[in-house]
């Protein structure tokens, strides 16, 4: 699957992944900036539950992806290595 | 000299700064909604014997949150929300236990510490060999005595060795015969025999809590799959025990059925003693069902649960193939 993939190409792919649109982040933006205030109105509990489940799934997926990337076979560089050009 | 500002007035600025950076915003969201993401689970495993230096109530809350995070995300989110709203430790513990009970009615839990004993179960098993059994279950004792001919020794109130085992084998023959009838009240009576002789294959019905513990099984892990299986086992156990209790009503109200049970139990014991039980057939009051009860497929009538349960789990092998 990764045959011929170079490090810059991999970097470009990873940096091109769009930002996840997470409900948790949208709720975070609604947090009041005053210290000591209630985080969200009571009626928002259902959305908090939804946001928590989505965030946990997202972080789990990220951790899984990171583990897989960590275990990738070596990715060949496309830069010439002159020291070994005998 | 730069004028100093009270620390708390920095909060809005810090929050806005964190929210303006994509990576910090994501980290803040995770810390807000999923603070157990980076907690070391190994230290929680030892609760309540080791709390990692935390006060008991905090360690207990962390332990409960860790379970909820794995098994019940909605309870995890709701408990965290309560902590943010300033609930007291007692309120949090009570709300957590109540929510578990509301979700799983078989869980009799009142404290975090009880969670550490594994997924709690409601055991319904019987111990007919116990000398106190006749006092607790006089009607079941009457079945053992009048139908299966079991007599307790006067000296120790226990059955002769092997008698209970023979009665158990006879009961299994009757259960298969009752399963083949595919109707009520035969299915209820079959469930009664399964319960009385610990033949159901459902540990909750076949064992008491003490028996299960003495068998050396580990506590059931708090894991979503285990929790689903335990809930399923409790639903099946409730079906069997409810059917068994209905069967006791049938036996009280239907002398023909009670007589058939006595007659067939003694015949089963006789055939087993002769070794001539392979093709034994037993007659029960009423007519066997001509048509198989529906499985609950769309458009069919509501199936009778005990009938289906016996048919699927306790029919004789040849009967199961014929179905």
């Amino acid at each position: 699957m990764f045959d011929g993939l170079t490090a810059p190409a991999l970097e470009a792919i990873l940096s091109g992944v769009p930002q996840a649109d997470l409900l948790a982040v949208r709720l975070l933006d609604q947090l009041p900036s005053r210290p000591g205030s209630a985080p969200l109105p009571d009626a928002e509990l259902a959305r908090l539950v939804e946001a928590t489940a989505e965030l946990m799934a997202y972080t789990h997926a990220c951790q899984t992806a990171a583990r897989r990337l960590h275990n990738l076979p070596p990715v060949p560089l496309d830069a010439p290595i002159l020291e070994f050009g005998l | 000299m730069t004028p100093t500002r009270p620390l708390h007035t920095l909060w809005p600025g810090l929050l806005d700064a964190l929210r303006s950076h994509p990576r910090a915003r994501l980290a803040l969201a995770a810390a807000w909604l999923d603070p157990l993401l980076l907690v070391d689970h190994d230290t929680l495993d030892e609760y309540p014997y080791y709390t990692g230096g935390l006060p008991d109530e905090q360690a207990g809350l962390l332990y409960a949150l860790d379970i909820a995070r794995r098994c019940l995300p909605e309870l995890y989110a709701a408990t965290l929300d309560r902590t943010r709203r300033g609930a007291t430790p007692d309120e949090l513990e009570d709300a957590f236990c109540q929510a578990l009970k509301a979700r799983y009615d078989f869980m009799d839990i009142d404290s975090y510490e009880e969670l550490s004993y594994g997924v709690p179960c409601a055991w319904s098993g019987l111990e007919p060999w116990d000398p106190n059994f006749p006092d607790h279950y006089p009607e079941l004792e009457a079945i053992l005595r009048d139908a299966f001919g079991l007599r307790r020794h006067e000296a120790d109130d226990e059955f002769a060795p092997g008698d209970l085992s023979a009665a158990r084998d006879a009961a299994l023959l009757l259960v298969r015969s009752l399963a083949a009838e595919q109707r009520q009240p035969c299915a209820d009576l079959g469930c009664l025999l399964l319960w009385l002789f610990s033949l159901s294959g459902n540990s909750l019905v076949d064992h008491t809590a003490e028996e299960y513990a003495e068998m050396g099984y580990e506590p059931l892990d708090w894991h979503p799959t285990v929790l689903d299986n335990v809930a399923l086992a409790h639903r099946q156990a409730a079906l069997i025990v409810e059917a068994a209790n209905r069967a006791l009503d049938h036996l009280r109200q239907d002398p023909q059925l009670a007589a058939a049970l006595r007659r067939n139990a003694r015949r089963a014991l006789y055939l087993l003693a002769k070794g001539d039980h392979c093709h034994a057939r037993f007659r029960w009051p009423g007519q066997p069902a001509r048509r198989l009860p529906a499985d609950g497929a769309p458009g069919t009538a509501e199936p009778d649960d005990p009938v289906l349960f016996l048919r699927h789990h306790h029919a004789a092998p040849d009967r199961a193939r014929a179905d």
Side-chain angles (χ1 to χ4, degrees), chain A:
Chain A
M1 174 181 178
F2 291 106
D3 284 350
L5 183 66
T6 60
L10 180 60
E11 189 186 350
I13 289 169
L14 293 178
S15 56
V17 174
Q19 248 184 58
D21 179 27
L22 295 170
L23 178 58
V25 175
R26 275 183 273 138
L27 288 178
L28 185 71
D29 290 339
Q30 295 173 24
L31 272 183
S33 295
R34 284 177 294 112
S37 54
L40 283 173
D42 285 344
E44 293 286 353
L45 180 59
R47 293 182 76 205
L48 268 187
V49 171
E50 188 189 340
T52 305
E54 186 192 41
L55 185 73
M56 283 165 57
Y58 176 75
T59 49
H60 179 71
C62 288
Q63 286 170 335
T64 305
R67 261 197 310 277
R68 285 184 180 165
L69 285 173
H70 184 73
N71 294 326
L72 274 182
V75 179
L77 289 169
D78 59 358
I81 302 174
L82 299 176
E83 295 93 305
F84 297 98
L86 300 176

Side-chain angles (χ1 to χ4, degrees), chain B residues 69-145:
Chain B
R69 186 176 187 272
R70 266 178 284 142
C71 303
L72 301 157
E74 69 280 12
L75 181 55
Y76 177 58
T79 305
L80 286 171
D81 192 55
R82 282 193 195 95
T83 64
R84 285 189 292 264
R85 290 174 193 280
T88 65
D90 284 348
E91 286 170 347
L92 287 171
E93 187 167 10
D94 189 50
F96 190 92
C97 295
Q98 291 303 326
L100 266 185
K101 283 187 207 175
R103 174 80 180 263
Y104 300 103
D105 59 4
F106 56 86
M107 284 191 192
D108 189 17
I109 274 191
D110 294 310
S111 69
Y112 295 141
E113 188 175 334
E114 289 171 73
L115 299 171
S116 66
Y117 306 131
V119 178
C121 293
W123 303 90
S124 323
L126 298 171
E127 295 179 322
W129 55 87
D130 183 348
N132 296 318
F133 184 79
D135 297 332
H136 296 311
Y137 301 99
E139 284 182 298
L140 299 178
E141 175 73 8
I143 292 173
L144 293 176
R145 183 184 61 234

Side-chain angles (χ1 to χ4, degrees), chain B residues 5-83:
Chain B
R5 301 174 64 194
L7 197 57
H8 69 269
T9 61
L10 299 176
W11 167 255
L14 284 172
L15 187 59
D16 289 341
L18 283 170
R19 286 196 291 211
S20 66
H21 188 279
R23 202 176 297 170
R25 200 159 65 139
L26 187 57
L28 188 59
W32 175 42
L33 293 183
D34 186 17
L36 263 70
L37 176 65
L38 300 176
V39 166
D40 181 5
H41 298 267
D42 290 344
T43 56
L44 297 176
D45 277 351
E46 299 299 319
Y47 175 81
Y49 306 107
Y50 175 69
T51 60
L54 291 172
D56 266 359
E57 62 200 27
Q58 279 183 30
L61 176 61
L62 272 180
Y63 187 76
L65 282 171
D66 188 48
I67 287 172
R69 186 176 187 272
R70 266 178 284 142
C71 303
L72 301 157
E74 69 280 12
L75 181 55
Y76 177 58
T79 305
L80 286 171
D81 192 55
R82 282 193 195 95
T83 64

Side-chain angles (χ1 to χ4, degrees), chain B:
Chain B
M1 186 176 162
T2 311
T4 54
R5 301 174 64 194
L7 197 57
H8 69 269
T9 61
L10 299 176
W11 167 255
L14 284 172
L15 187 59
D16 289 341
L18 283 170
R19 286 196 291 211
S20 66
H21 188 279
R23 202 176 297 170
R25 200 159 65 139
L26 187 57
L28 188 59
W32 175 42
L33 293 183
D34 186 17
L36 263 70
L37 176 65
L38 300 176
V39 166
D40 181 5
H41 298 267
D42 290 344
T43 56
L44 297 176
D45 277 351
E46 299 299 319
Y47 175 81
Y49 306 107
Y50 175 69
T51 60
L54 291 172
D56 266 359
E57 62 200 27
Q58 279 183 30
L61 176 61
L62 272 180
Y63 187 76
L65 282 171
D66 188 48
I67 287 172
R69 186 176 187 272
R70 266 178 284 142
C71 303
L72 301 157
E74 69 280 12
L75 181 55
Y76 177 58
T79 305
L80 286 171
D81 192 55
R82 282 193 195 95
T83 64
R84 285 189 292 264
R85 290 174 193 280
T88 65
D90 284 348
E91 286 170 347
L92 287 171
E93 187 167 10
D94 189 50
F96 190 92
C97 295
Q98 291 303 326
L100 266 185
K101 283 187 207 175
R103 174 80 180 263
Y104 300 103
D105 59 4
F106 56 86
M107 284 191 192
D108 189 17
I109 274 191
D110 294 310
S111 69
Y112 295 141
E113 188 175 334
E114 289 171 73
L115 299 171
S116 66
Y117 306 131
V119 178
C121 293
W123 303 90
S124 323
L126 298 171
E127 295 179 322
W129 55 87
D130 183 348
N132 296 318
F133 184 79
D135 297 332
H136 296 311
Y137 301 99
E139 284 182 298
L140 299 178
E141 175 73 8
I143 292 173
L144 293 176
R145 183 184 61 234
D146 300 340
F148 291 91
L150 289 170
R151 296 281 182 273
R152 292 178 190 273
H153 292 164
E154 284 186 13
D156 55 10
D157 272 343
E158 289 186 2
F159 298 119
D163 280 5
L164 193 59
S165 171
R168 200 170 183 266
D169 293 341
L172 188 58
L173 281 184
L174 297 190
V175 168
R176 288 181 172 167
S177 163
L178 289 161
E181 294 287 316
Q182 310 219 53
R183 66 190 166 94
Q184 290 289 21
C186 294
D188 285 349
L189 188 55
C191 288
L192 174 61
L193 295 179
L194 291 177
W195 185 38
L196 179 54
F197 290 97
S198 302
L199 290 167
S200 75
N202 182 317
S203 299
L204 300 169
V205 178
D206 295 346
H207 303 297
T208 61
E210 291 77 19
E211 261 187 304
Y212 188 78
E214 283 168 10
M215 283 191 284
Y217 289 110
E218 291 290 318
L220 296 168
D221 281 341
W222 287 96
H223 185 277
T225 311
V226 175
L227 209 47
D228 287 347
N229 287 337
V230 170
L232 188 65
H234 276 86
R235 281 201 294 277
Q236 192 185 66
L239 182 152
I240 296 168
V241 175
E242 282 169 18
N245 282 310
R246 270 199 311 274
L248 287 173
D249 290 339
H250 296 316
L251 289 171
R252 266 180 234 122
Q253 293 160 11
D254 185 347
Q256 276 192 321
L257 186 66
L261 175 60
R262 288 194 295 271
R263 183 180 65 241
N264 287 333
R266 289 180 179 189
R267 185 158 167 263
L269 285 166
Y270 172 73
L271 292 173
L272 280 165
K274 273 179 62 181
D276 186 21
H277 57 279
C278 293
H279 302 290
R281 287 182 179 276
F282 302 92
R283 270 187 282 174
W284 301 97
Q287 294 296 316
R290 291 191 176 181
R291 295 180 62 188
L292 300 180
D295 257 354
T300 60
E302 184 74 17
D304 187 282
D305 289 340
V307 171
L308 291 179
F309 169 73
L310 277 195
R311 175 172 140 195
H312 287 302
H313 298 287
H314 295 281
D318 57 338
R319 183 81 199 187
R321 276 199 301 277
D323 290 350

